[in-house]
Amino acid sequence: MGARKKISADKRKEALKTKYFAKLNNVPTSPRKMRLVADMVRGMEVFKALGVLKFSSKEASARLEKLLRSAIANWEQKNERKAESGELYISEIYVDSAAMLKRLRPAPQGRGYRIRKRSNHVTLFVDTMSKNDNQI
């Protein structure tokens, strides 16, 4: 790795140390389906978002609920105290496309149709409400 690239990588790592997040890699759900659930909770207070995810009928909501609990636990560990109601909110959540499994399905007249089994990566950031209020 070149010196310039290493310096920028170190800056990125230092910036992530001040943020509270959780990542979920290689989820075997299409990114489009996961984004529907992510859009439901984006910007919400975390305990309200947990309730929404718990009672959502989508399959992706169970995975996202577990990820949100992990992000809350990461925040609690870094701050060495418990999260209180109304204190934390989901500041950022994004869903990126991951590796795609390509399969062939038999089709008429000796042809084969390509089946793409998609997967995704989800990154969820939580932040405190008071920290956000000071910036405005």
Side-chain angles (χ1 to χ4, degrees):
M1 182 184 297
R4 197 175 65 223
K5 200 172 188 180
K6 182 160 177 44
I7 291 168
S8 66
D10 289 339
K11 283 182 187 175
R12 230 177 301 119
K13 286 179 189 173
E14 284 300 316
L16 280 178
K17 286 182 182 176
T18 61
K19 292 186 177 183
Y20 313 101
F21 67 98
K23 280 186 78 167
L24 185 60
N25 286 334
N26 298 318
V27 184
T29 308
S30 75
R32 186 175 182 178
K33 291 176 184 175
M34 186 64 85
R35 280 188 195 108
L36 287 172
V37 180
D39 290 342
M40 282 195 311
V41 296
R42 182 174 283 121
M44 249 187 218
E45 192 267 320
V46 291
F47 293 109
K48 185 178 177 188
L50 282 173
V52 168
L53 291 171
K54 180 121 181 119
F55 295 106
S56 174
S57 61
K58 302 245 182 238
E59 187 264 340
S61 65
R63 297 176 195 271
L64 214 56
E65 180 187 358
K66 190 173 179 181
L67 181 68
L68 181 56
R69 289 186 189 280
S70 175
I72 294 168
N74 291 344
W75 183 90
E76 288 175 348
Q77 187 198 15
K78 281 187 177 179
N79 288 307
E80 298 174 349
R81 62 189 181 96
K82 288 293 217 179
E84 297 165 11
S85 183
E87 185 178 15
L88 290 176
Y89 76 105
I90 299 172
S91 59
E92 285 180 67
I93 181 169
Y94 47 88
V95 180
D96 298 322
S97 175
M100 198 182 310
L101 296 175
K102 293 178 179 166
R103 301 289 182 257
L104 286 175
R105 170 159 290 164
Q109 299 180 354
R111 288 186 299 242
Y113 291 156
R114 184 173 279 171
I115 302 293
R116 293 182 308 233
K117 297 186 177 225
R118 300 172 189 270
S119 59
N120 64 64
H121 303 310
V122 185
T123 309
L124 189 143
F125 288 87
V126 294
D127 208 353
T128 57
M129 290 280 196
S130 59
K131 185 176 177 182
N132 186 39
D133 292 340
N134 293 339
Q135 292 175 353
I136 294 175

